[in-house]
């Protein structure tokens, strides 16, 4: 199997949060990443398009030892083409916080990490004892508008919030990311509306006005939805934002 400098595996990441995890843990391993892979900010690798529409031919030309993907972020037909071209593809499945730690360990091992990174230990310690909320709250968590889409069942971000004392109103919906009309969202009468800045970039002027009378909290989408080094800061930062909104 071909290797890069000093025996490091040549890796292409199609998952932004895993791109960050690999970049800071196994320097030199990444040779390609998506256009949406924004961390680390100085990442200098070949860009291979989006998570849903990667340039498969460009990836193959990079001759990677491994392509990292995710079962919900990437499309199976694209991954099948890569496999047919002889490329090894590792597909992750992350639907809760414990799953994130399991998959991060698997990915970093597959990328040739020699030791367990300190940030991963710090993240697990932070989530072992997250800040305790004063009381539990209910929330809806839009991830898109026009049409409105929210977190549904079995999602990593939903589990993050549940561990911080916020229960997703649509946690038992049949779909993982259901489209819900705005009148129905309002009628659900949540205690909070949690508005991340990705994948849709909700802002103070774009989102809260749709939920008049309901406390809205704008949160860093990387802290809510990414599984990587940001996991160490997520419990404290998200808890502080949620606590402020619940006052």
């Amino acid at each position: 199997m071909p290797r890069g400098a000093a025996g490091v595996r040549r890796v292409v990441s199609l998952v932004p949060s895993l791109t960050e995890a690999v970049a800071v843990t196994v320097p030199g391993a990444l040779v390609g990443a998506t256009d949406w892979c924004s961390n680390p900010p100085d990442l200098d690798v070949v860009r291979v398009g989006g998570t849903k529409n990667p340039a498969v031919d460009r990836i193959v030309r990079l001759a990677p030892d491994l392509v990292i993907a995710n079962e919900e972020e990437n499309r199976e037909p694209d991954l099948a083409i890569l496999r047919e071209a002889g490329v090894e593809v590792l597909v992750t499945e992350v639907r809760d916080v414990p799953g994130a730690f399991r998959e991060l360990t698997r990915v970093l091992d597959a990328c040739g990490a020699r030791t367990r990174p300190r940030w991963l230990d710090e993240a697990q310690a932070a989530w072992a004892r997250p800040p305790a909320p004063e009381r539990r709250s209910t929330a809806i968590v839009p991830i898109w508008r026009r049409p409105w889409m929210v977190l549904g069942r079995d999602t990593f971000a939903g589990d993050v919030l549940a561990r911080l004392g916020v229960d997703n109103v649509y946690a038992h919906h049949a779909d993982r990311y259901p489209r819900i009309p705005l009148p129905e969202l309002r009628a659900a009468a949540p205690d909070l509306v949690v508005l991340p800045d990705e994948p849709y970039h909700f802002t103070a002027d774009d989102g809260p006005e749709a939920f008049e009378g309901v406390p809205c909290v704008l949160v860093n989408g990387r802290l809510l939805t990414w599984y990587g080094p940001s996991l160490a800061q997520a419990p404290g930062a998200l808890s502080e934002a949620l606590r402020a909104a619940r006052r």
Side-chain angles (χ1 to χ4, degrees):
M1 178 180 293
R3 298 275 174 156
V8 173
R9 300 194 79 184
R10 292 173 57 83
V11 178
V12 172
S13 174
L14 302 181
V15 186
S17 56
L18 294 177
T19 296
E20 181 181 20
V22 174
V24 303
T25 306
V26 194
L30 286 172
V31 295
T34 75
D35 299 344
W36 298 104
C37 294
S38 55
N39 277 284
D42 60 351
L43 183 66
D44 184 16
V45 298
V46 174
R47 299 296 174 162
V48 297
T51 58
K52 302 295 186 188
N53 57 344
V56 176
D57 55 344
R58 194 180 309 161
I59 296 172
V60 173
R61 287 197 299 270
L62 285 171
D65 300 314
L66 180 69
V67 170
I68 304 167
N70 176 265
E71 49 105 17
E72 72 176 12
E73 291 204 47
N74 309 117
R75 301 186 312 147
E76 178 55 35
D78 295 321
L79 305 182
I81 293 172
L82 290 171
R83 293 190 189 97
E84 290 169 4
V87 178
E88 180 184 352
V89 179
L90 188 161
V91 180
T92 58
E93 180 181 302
V94 178
R95 301 192 178 191
D96 56 26
V97 172
F101 290 124
R102 287 194 300 271
E103 292 291 61
L104 281 164
T105 299
R106 186 164 72 105
V107 166
L108 296 177
D109 286 348
C111 291
R114 294 180 180 274
T115 59
R116 181 180 171 86
R118 177 180 296 178
W119 64 260
L120 190 53
D121 288 334
E122 293 174 347
Q124 285 202 278
W127 279 104
R129 294 180 179 82
E134 295 177 1
R135 63 185 184 281
R136 297 200 71 83
S137 304
T138 61
I140 59 173
V141 190
I143 58 168
W144 203 259
R145 67 181 302 177
R146 305 182 191 95
W148 286 94
M149 297 176 65
V150 300
L151 292 185
R153 64 170 178 84
D154 206 18
T155 66
F156 170 74
D159 187 57
V160 164
L161 290 172
R163 291 170 187 271
L164 300 177
V166 176
D167 298 315
N168 176 16
V169 169
Y170 292 98
H172 301 292
H173 195 280
D175 298 326
R176 295 185 67 201
Y177 301 99
R179 297 186 181 191
I180 308 292
L182 184 56
E184 186 175 331
L185 293 178
R186 291 170 173 159
D191 299 320
L192 299 171
V193 178
V194 178
L195 298 169
D197 61 8
E198 60 175 88
Y200 186 91
H201 190 181
F202 288 104
T203 68
D205 300 319
D206 186 359
E209 80 289 345
F211 301 96
E212 185 175 356
V214 181
C216 292
V217 53
L218 298 166
V219 299
N220 184 319
R222 178 168 167 262
L223 296 178
L224 180 63
T225 65
W226 286 36
Y227 31 91
S230 58
L231 278 169
Q233 292 77 44
L238 290 173
S239 290
E240 183 177 347
L242 293 167
R243 189 178 300 113
R246 287 183 287 205
R247 289 186 183 131

